[in-house]
Amino acid sequence: MKKLMLVLLFFINIPLVAQFEDLALEFGLIPTSVFGNNSANAVFTPSSPSSTIGGGFFGFQNAFLLKSVWQVGNTNLSIPFGLEYIFYRAYHRLPYASKVTFYFKHFIDVPTLSLGARYSLFKLPFANVKMYSEIDARGSFVGKSNYRLRVDYEALDSTRVYEVSHKNAVFRFGAGLKLGFLGEIVHPWYANMFVSVNFVNILGRNNSRGELLTPVPDYETAENPVYNLQLAVSIFYKF
């Protein structure tokens, strides 16, 4: 009876397994940096009373990815779909005057859904490594901007804190381009490394809100394009 049940379970699960045999899961780290002439990576303190306050996001920001990848039959094409989550964080200390110090903090969370088309260009002559290119459509939920300034008056042993959140959460459509290498570690585990450039706000820009990733809209007259550079290392599991 037990053997019969095992046989029945085997045949019942064949369709379920078949549904996943062309699927893979991908998860890993995807450090992200805003590049180009954008206020997001400018300093907090304005150069003049009438200039904008920067976002303070220098260098690469922490981020992770979690995606499913569907292999389209016996072709070189696969379809990745999933989530990237970027933690934009800025912490700066600025000595302002004798025994007066400013501490700035600014953070925005940006979860992004992406749907792409990945094409294997060629297989390298060593191991089981393939080079690929990928384009994707992206939808980013740009979270509320949180900005905090703490002023320490050391001589008076006192502190003042200012917190603002002038910019609410918004949604933006974008696109990206990737170039990467996918190599086998031990089947079914693979390593994926790629570099990506994406345009965050192709559609949905609102000039009345000001820049996308800055805390205060003062003296901002437009929402300029935001470009991200990403360097990723992820683990790839094939079913």
Side-chain angles (χ1 to χ4, degrees), residues 26 29-35 60 63 65 67 80 84 86 88 112 114 116-118 132-138 174-181 192-200 226-234:
E26 182 180 5
L29 301 177
I30 184 168
T32 301
S33 176
V34 179
F35 71 93
F60 283 91
L65 66 87
K67 296 186 178 183
E84 297 174 13
I86 305 171
Y88 289 103
T112 298
S114 67
R118 181 179 296 177
Y132 69 86
S133 62
E134 178 184 331
I135 56 172
D136 60 11
R138 305 167 66 83
L177 176 65
K178 293 183 177 69
L179 187 66
F181 297 90
N192 185 22
M193 295 179 289
F194 65 82
V195 59
S196 172
V197 175
N198 57 69
F199 189 165
V200 178
V226 177
Y227 304 99
N228 277 336
L229 172 67
Q230 298 178 305
L231 303 174
V233 177
S234 62

Side-chain angles (χ1 to χ4, degrees), residues 170-187:
V170 292
F171 182 80
R172 296 291 185 265
F173 285 105
L177 176 65
K178 293 183 177 69
L179 187 66
F181 297 90
L182 181 65
E184 182 177 354
I185 302 173
V186 177
H187 185 78

Side-chain angles (χ1 to χ4, degrees), residues 103-144:
Y103 293 89
F104 298 96
K105 178 182 178 181
H106 183 212
F107 65 92
I108 303 174
D109 289 350
V110 182
T112 298
L113 294 175
S114 67
L115 175 63
R118 181 179 296 177
Y119 189 81
S120 295
L121 300 174
F122 55 84
K123 184 177 179 180
L124 298 181
F126 54 88
N128 185 14
V129 179
K130 293 182 179 179
M131 183 178 182
Y132 69 86
S133 62
E134 178 184 331
I135 56 172
D136 60 11
R138 305 167 66 83
S140 297
F141 300 87
V142 181
K144 181 174 68 173

Side-chain angles (χ1 to χ4, degrees), residues 13-229:
N13 282 287
I14 284 179
L16 296 176
V17 174
Q19 292 178 23
F20 291 100
E21 63 181 5
D22 293 328
L23 282 179
L25 286 180
E26 182 180 5
F27 54 94
L29 301 177
I30 184 168
T32 301
S33 176
V34 179
F35 71 93
N37 184 21
N38 192 279
S39 297
N41 54 21
V43 296
F44 286 131
T45 52
S47 58
S48 68
S50 60
S51 60
T52 62
I53 296 176
F57 301 122
F58 308 145
F60 283 91
Q61 308 293 310
N62 291 327
F64 71 86
L65 66 87
L66 177 61
K67 296 186 178 183
S68 63
V69 183
W70 175 52
Q71 178 66 40
V72 183
N74 294 319
T75 69
N76 290 327
L77 179 66
S78 57
I79 307 296
F81 170 77
L83 172 71
E84 297 174 13
Y85 203 110
I86 305 171
F87 303 90
Y88 289 103
R89 297 291 186 271
Y91 304 92
H92 298 162
R93 176 183 178 274
L94 176 67
Y96 181 73
S98 178
K99 296 187 177 181
V100 179
T101 306
F102 288 176
Y103 293 89
F104 298 96
K105 178 182 178 181
H106 183 212
F107 65 92
I108 303 174
D109 289 350
V110 182
T112 298
L113 294 175
S114 67
L115 175 63
R118 181 179 296 177
Y119 189 81
S120 295
L121 300 174
F122 55 84
K123 184 177 179 180
L124 298 181
F126 54 88
N128 185 14
V129 179
K130 293 182 179 179
M131 183 178 182
Y132 69 86
S133 62
E134 178 184 331
I135 56 172
D136 60 11
R138 305 167 66 83
S140 297
F141 300 87
V142 181
K144 181 174 68 173
S145 176
N146 296 277
Y147 179 68
R148 184 176 187 266
L149 167 61
R150 191 184 88 207
V151 184
D152 283 1
Y153 301 93
E154 289 92 346
L156 302 175
D157 194 23
S158 66
T159 298
R160 296 193 67 178
V161 176
Y162 306 89
E163 293 189 60
V164 297
S165 186
H166 290 305
K167 297 185 178 182
N168 291 324
V170 292
F171 182 80
R172 296 291 185 265
F173 285 105
L177 176 65
K178 293 183 177 69
L179 187 66
F181 297 90
L182 181 65
E184 182 177 354
I185 302 173
V186 177
H187 185 78
W189 296 95
Y190 293 75
N192 185 22
M193 295 179 289
F194 65 82
V195 59
S196 172
V197 175
N198 57 69
F199 189 165
V200 178
N201 52 345
I202 294 178
L203 299 176
R205 276 180 274 175
N206 180 2
N207 291 335
S208 64
R209 184 181 179 275
E211 298 288 2
L212 186 63
L213 298 176
T214 59
V216 180
D218 297 349
Y219 308 109
E220 295 180 347
T221 59
E223 180 182 329
N224 289 305
V226 177
Y227 304 99
N228 277 336
L229 172 67

